Each structure stands twice: as structure tokens, then as C-alpha cells.
């Protein structure tokens, strides 16, 4: 009971990790390298959460094998810091660059772990990090234990520099989440350095993992992988919500003209780039009370919460942004659109049919013209 009270925060954190791990395994049907990295972080955190109280429990105990258990548990605990930090950096790197080869080339950012392992091997013979008295089985910190914490702090500082350097490659809210992802472990480390009886170092890492999963992994299914605007499923869910809550809104359906010609002339990589840039233009043109969705291929739909939407104004703004782009395949891009203000008792399908019909009428007119 004494240990349950002493390490109750570890037990609580462990329960969160187990539930989160099971939730990821059951909910995530589509496998990805990012999810695999997150599971590795969960497992490493679980090991640390379990090992930390064991180092305190075995300390000073007298039974066969107690010395070995105390020494090995502290050895592992020293290893978990750089191991976990490297995995966290690998996860952030993959979320930003989506490049498996890049992570493998950097050895999952485990260079600090390899260095720490070598130092701990030397520590067995020259205990400058920690030592365990073979007679009393009591743990004591070495004179240079601070080097370990400086090394860990340097790793997290490098993470922040890496994130700031590559901040333009992703959205601002994702950068903010990753900053929190890194700062929580640092805060926990500082708290535990001030008072070693406050076991916050590893539990704060658990909070960081929880934040990353809730705000990154659970929202990824709402967003189109290529363009980063919302996907068709999100569109249908959002419209259902607007209709159920009697919101006034309009839909603008946009389809690129002769998009197949772009793929044939420039290749599919350029075609993908066109879709990305076009989605970014839509995001710039429409106000915060609007949401942009990619329905598939080169079809986009924008839902505007308004009772009076000036569709022609938005269309002209889109065209202006495209024409200002220096790339030929962007500034010569053309599109057709359909507009429909939602009316009472209209279903999601009926709304789509109306804007689709109007869009094709304009597309036909453009071909004749």
C-alpha cells in the first residue's frame, strides 16, 4: 500500500499509456510508419514508468539478486531518456517530411542513446554517473551525473531548433503541438531535479504523448492526405451538423478545367502540386467562417456559413491569386464552379446535385466559348 501511494502518479500514467495503446491498436485499421513510431514511444514510456519506481523499491533491499536488480534497473532508466527523446524526434521528423528513408538514415535519432550506452558501460568500472553499494545495496549519484541531464536537455533543445527550422513545412497549430510535445518532458525533468520525490519526469512525457495523439493522430482522418484540406467524409459530417442545427450556409463546387491535360503534359507530380497550390489558394481566399473540402481528384467544395454569399467575388479572387503565381501551369489554370444557397428541407445529396449541375453547365459553356 505504501508503494501504491508513493507511486500513484506513475500508476495513473501507466493506465493512460495502456488505454491509449489499446485504443490505437483497435481504432487504427490503416497501418503507417508514423503510428508505428508512436507505438514505440508508448512502449518505451511504459518501460520507463515501470522501471522508475523499481529503482526506489530495490534501493537498500537485502535479498539474493537485489544488487543486480537495483543496478540493472538504474542502468535501464538512464538509457530510457535519450532512447525516448530520439524516438520523439523521429516521430516529429516523419510527421513533417513523411520520408521513411530519412528516419532510417538518421538511425531513428539514436546517436545519443548509443553514446549513453557506451558511457554506462564505462560507468560499471568508473562510476561517474551513479553507483550501487554492493554491501548495503544503496544507490548514490556520481559526481558527473549532471552531464547526463545536460545531454538530455541538449537533445530536446535540438528538437526545438529542428522544429523552428522546419516550421514552414507544416501548419502553425501542428508546430504548437510539437512545441508542447517537447516542452512537457523538459518541465517534468526540471521539477524532478528540484525535488527528486516528485516523479514528474516520465509522467509529463506521457502527457506529451497524449497531446500528440489527440491533436494529430485522431484528426488525420478528417484531412485529405495530399492537399491538407478537409476530405469528403468531413464534408458530409459537417453538412449534416449544419442542417441539424438549422445553420444558414451555401456551397461552392469547383472543378479544374482540363486537369488531365496537365497530368499528361507535365506528369502526375506536377499535377499533385497543382492540387496542393489550388487548395492553398482556396484557403487564402475564403474567410474563417468557410471550410474547404477536397471531394476527390480535382473536385473541391467550399461551405460558407452565410445567408448571402457573393460567389462571384470569391471566384474572381481565386482567379487573381492563380494569375499572380509565377508558374505557368498555375497562372494559366482555369476552373468551373457551381453555387447553391442551402434551402430548408434540402438533403446533402440534393445540394450536391444542384451545384454539380450548375458547375457542368459552366464547364460546357467554357468549352463552347
Amino acid at each position: 500500500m505504501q508503494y501504491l501511494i508513493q507511486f500513484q502518479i506513475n500508476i495513473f500514467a501507466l493506465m493512460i499509456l495502456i488505454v491509449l495503446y489499446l485504443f490505437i491498436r483497435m481504432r487504427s485499421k490503416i497501418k503507417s510508419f508514423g503510428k508505428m513510431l508512436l507505438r514505440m514511444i508508448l512502449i518505451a514510456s511504459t518501460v520507463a514508468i515501470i522501471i522508475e519506481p523499481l529503482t526506489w523499491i530495490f534501493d537498500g533491499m537485502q535479498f539474493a539478486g537485489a544488487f543486480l536488480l537495483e543496478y540493472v534497473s538504474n542502468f535501464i532508466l538512464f538509457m530510457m531518456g535519450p532512447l525516448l527523446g530520439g524516438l520523439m524526434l523521429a516521430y516529429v521528423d516523419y510527421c513533417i517530411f513523411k520520408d521513411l528513408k530519412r528516419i532510417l538514415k538518421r538511425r531513428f535519432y539514436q546517436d545519443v542513446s548509443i553514446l549513453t550506452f557506451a558511457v554506462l558501460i564505462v560507468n560499471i568500472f568508473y562510476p561517474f554517473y551513479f553507483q550501487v553499494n554492493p554491501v548495503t545495496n544503496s544507490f548514490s549519484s556520481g559526481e558527473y551525473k549532471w552531464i547526463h541531464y545536460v545531454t538530455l536537455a541538449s537533445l530536446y533543445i535540438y528538437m526545438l531548433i529542428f522544429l523552428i527550422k522546419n516550421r514552414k513545412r507544416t501548419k502553425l497549430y501542428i508546430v504548437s503541438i510539437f512545441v508542447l510535445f517537447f516542452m512537457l518532458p523538459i518541465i517534468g525533468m526540471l521539477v524532478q531535479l528540484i525535488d527528486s520525490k516528485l516523479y514528474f519526469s516520465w509522467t509529463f512525457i506521457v502527457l506529451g504523448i497524449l497531446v500528440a495523439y489527440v491533436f494529430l493522430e485522431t484528426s488525420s482522418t478528417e484531412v485529405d492526405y495530399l492537399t491538407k484540406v478537409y476530405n469528403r467524409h468531413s464534408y458530409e459530417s459537417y453538412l449534416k451538423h449544419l442542417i441539424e442545427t438549422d445553420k444558414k450556409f451555401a456551397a461552392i463546387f469547383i472543378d479544374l478545367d482540363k486537369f488531365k491535360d496537365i497530368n499528361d503534359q507535365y506528369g502526375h507530380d506536377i499535377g499533385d502540386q497543382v492540387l496542393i497550390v489550388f487548395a492553398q489558394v482556396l484557403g487564402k481566399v475564403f474567410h474563417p467562417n468557410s471550410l474547404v473540402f477536397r471531394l476527390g481528384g480535382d473536385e473541391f467544395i467550399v461551405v460558407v456559413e452565410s445567408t448571402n454569399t457573393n460567389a462571384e467575388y470569391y471566384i474572381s479572387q481565386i482567379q487573381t491569386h492563380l494569375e499572380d503565381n509565377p508558374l505557368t501551369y498555375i497562372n494559366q489554370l482555369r476552373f468551373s464552379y457551381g453555387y447553391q444557397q442551402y434551402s430548408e428541407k434540402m438533403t446533402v445529396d440534393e445540394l450536391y446535385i444542384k451545384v454539380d449541375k450548375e458547375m457542368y453547365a459552366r464547364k460546357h459553356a467554357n468549352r463552347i466559348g
Side-chain angles (χ1 to χ4, degrees), residues 281-326:
V281 168
L282 293 180
K284 292 176 182 178
V285 169
F286 288 91
H287 296 307
N289 65 333
S290 309
L291 291 181
V292 181
F293 304 85
R294 183 189 178 201
L295 300 184
D298 58 334
E299 296 180 347
F300 295 84
I301 195 163
V302 184
V303 178
V304 185
E305 281 195 54
S306 174
T307 56
N308 185 21
T309 302
N310 189 346
E312 288 75 18
Y313 169 77
Y314 288 123
I315 297 303
S316 65
Q317 287 296 304
I318 295 171
Q319 197 64 61
T320 299
H321 277 76
L322 293 176
E323 291 171 354
D324 288 342
N325 194 291

Side-chain angles (χ1 to χ4, degrees), residues 30-253:
I30 301 175
K31 295 181 180 179
S32 71
F33 185 68
K35 288 187 176 69
M36 187 199 79
L37 280 172
L38 193 60
R39 285 198 294 268
M40 291 170 65
I41 294 171
L42 284 170
I43 293 170
S45 300
T46 301
V47 172
I49 290 291
I50 294 172
I51 290 294
E52 183 181 39
L54 291 180
T55 62
W56 288 81
I57 293 171
F58 293 141
D59 189 22
M61 282 195 169
Q62 300 290 324
F63 60 87
F67 171 79
L68 181 62
L69 289 172
E70 174 63 10
Y71 197 96
V72 170
S73 60
N74 277 283
F75 188 103
I76 295 173
L77 194 62
F78 269 86
M79 280 298 306
M80 295 314 299
L83 175 68
L84 193 53
L87 288 175
M88 290 170 70
L89 182 53
Y91 176 70
V92 173
D93 188 304
Y94 184 76
C95 287
I96 293 174
F97 289 94
K98 298 294 182 184
D99 188 349
L100 173 58
K101 291 182 180 179
R102 188 184 153 87
I103 304 300
L104 296 176
K105 184 178 179 180
R106 286 161 176 75
R107 295 178 293 276
F108 288 79
Y109 289 95
Q110 292 303 315
D111 289 346
V112 176
S113 299
I114 296 170
L115 177 62
T116 301
F117 182 79
V119 170
L120 288 173
I121 293 297
V122 176
N123 186 82
I124 297 173
F125 308 98
Y126 303 97
F128 46 82
Y129 266 14
F130 75 94
Q131 62 181 340
V132 178
N133 189 304
V135 177
T136 62
N137 195 36
S138 57
F139 170 90
S140 60
S141 298
E143 184 178 356
Y144 299 100
K145 182 182 177 181
W146 59 270
I147 295 177
H148 177 69
Y149 289 103
V150 170
T151 303
L152 287 180
S154 300
L155 178 61
Y156 282 100
I157 290 171
Y158 173 77
M159 292 181 186
L160 290 171
I161 294 172
F162 170 85
L163 187 59
I164 293 170
K165 182 180 178 181
N166 296 286
R167 66 188 184 279
K168 293 183 179 179
R169 292 179 176 271
T170 187
K171 295 182 178 180
L172 180 61
Y173 85 92
I174 294 179
V175 173
S176 302
I177 292 167
F178 281 146
V179 169
L180 187 61
F181 189 49
F182 293 147
M183 289 303 297
L184 283 171
I186 294 175
I187 294 170
M189 193 185 307
L190 291 174
V191 170
Q192 195 155 341
L193 279 173
I194 295 170
D195 189 341
S196 61
K197 293 183 179 180
L198 296 174
Y199 311 111
F200 285 172
S201 181
W202 302 106
T203 50
F204 269 53
I205 290 177
V206 174
L207 288 177
I209 296 169
L210 186 61
V211 167
Y213 179 75
V214 169
F215 289 99
L216 298 177
E217 296 299 329
T218 56
S219 61
S220 61
T221 55
E222 299 176 354
V223 177
D224 176 60
Y225 178 80
L226 177 66
T227 60
K228 306 307 178 187
V229 297
Y230 291 103
N231 58 25
R232 190 183 194 106
H233 175 73
S234 299
Y235 160 74
E236 293 172 352
S237 299
Y238 183 57
L239 252 65
K240 183 180 179 182
H241 165 72
L242 292 177
I243 293 171
E244 288 176 344
T245 54
D246 296 325
K247 298 288 186 181
K248 304 297 182 182
F249 66 94
I252 303 175
F253 182 41

Side-chain angles (χ1 to χ4, degrees), residues 256-276:
L256 300 181
D257 293 339
K258 300 180 180 180
F259 181 69
K260 184 179 182 300
D261 293 346
I262 295 175
N263 282 326
D264 292 342
Q265 182 178 354
Y266 297 101
H268 288 280
D269 287 342
I270 295 299
D272 287 347
Q273 189 63 34
V274 168
L275 293 175
I276 292 170

